[in-house]
Amino acid sequence: EVQLVESGGGLAQPGGSLRLSCAVSGFTLSNVWMDWVRQTPGKGLEWVGRIKTQTDGGTSDYAAPVKGRFVISRDDSKNTLFLLMNSLKTEDTALYYCRVWMNKSDYWGQGTLVTVFS
Amino acid sequence: EIVMTQSPATLSVSPGERATLSCRASQSVSNHLLWYQQKPGQSPRCLIFGASTRATGIPARFSGSGFGTEFTLTISSLQSEDFAVYYCLEHSAWPYTFGQGTKLEIK
């Protein structure tokens, strides 16, 4: 059974940092591209970024609002995806999901809530 | 960035009736279009990919159509579990973008 479990969310102050993790099971992480998506009541669903497999270069792409501040990485040996969030802003407050597409469907975690407040 | 516009924002339909939801792209996305369903407290679930192909395990009452800039999600006979929020997502160009959602409510 495919499972994705996010963790690491919580409270942070503007300018601070948080690192989210996404532990996966039921598939081989090294074979798939992985995504981070966030959701807020006001802005709805927003793609944060993606990371390719090492075979495809292992590079990441980011949405404009987070580019230069967020870093996606992966540890395939530990079946874990990461999202390092730096220079946090109040508008980064959201529920953060990790997501994977495979086998003609996609799979999401339950999300981890990040709240940035001063 | 491609802008996805969904209509209507809210759709009221009776159980057993047909629901038609629309999604428009600001420029062509070919068939790189997915439809999602999201219920309160749950993660989004993919219903349709490639604009018209049902994802694994999705009932046949869900169908998608369209190409380029105009897309439609049709639910042929609404069941109680279908009342939810529906989103379209284009993945033709980075960054991928979602529509703002259509809330399907019981009439």
Side-chain angles (χ1 to χ4, degrees), chain A residues 39 45 47 50 61-62 97 99 101 103-104 106 108-110, chain B residues 34 36 38 42-44 46 49 55-56 87 89 94 96 98:
Chain A
Q39 186 169 29
L45 288 160
W47 219 270
R50 65 183 180 186
D61 298 298
Y62 301 91
Y97 296 101
R99 176 261 192 191
W101 175 269
N103 301 331
K104 298 183 178 181
D106 65 359
W108 298 59
Q110 82 289 349
Chain B
L34 296 89
Y36 284 89
Q38 188 176 31
Q42 297 185 13
S43 306
C46 181
F49 66 93
T56 305
Y87 297 93
L89 167 70
W94 186 258
Y96 305 155
F98 288 92

Side-chain angles (χ1 to χ4, degrees), chain A residues 25-110:
Chain A
S25 59
F27 64 98
T28 303
L29 182 61
S30 61
N31 292 343
V32 297
W33 294 23
M34 293 293 298
D35 307 294
W36 284 99
V37 180
R38 65 186 181 184
Q39 186 169 29
T40 63
K43 293 191 68 178
L45 288 160
E46 181 182 29
W47 219 270
V48 173
R50 65 183 180 186
I51 185 167
K52 302 175 184 178
T53 61
Q54 294 299 336
T55 302
D56 289 331
T59 56
S60 301
D61 298 298
Y62 301 91
V66 307
K67 194 170 184 178
R69 300 188 297 121
F70 288 14
V71 178
I72 299 174
S73 61
R74 60 194 299 157
D75 186 337
D76 293 339
S77 67
K78 295 183 178 179
N79 294 314
T80 305
L81 175 74
F82 300 99
L83 177 64
L84 176 61
M85 304 185 294
N86 297 316
S87 303
L88 282 164
K89 304 177 180 181
T90 55
E91 52 263 41
D92 295 320
T93 294
L95 183 62
Y96 285 75
Y97 296 101
C98 55
R99 176 261 192 191
V100 62
W101 175 269
M102 59 183 182
N103 301 331
K104 298 183 178 181
S105 189
D106 65 359
Y107 301 85
W108 298 59
Q110 82 289 349

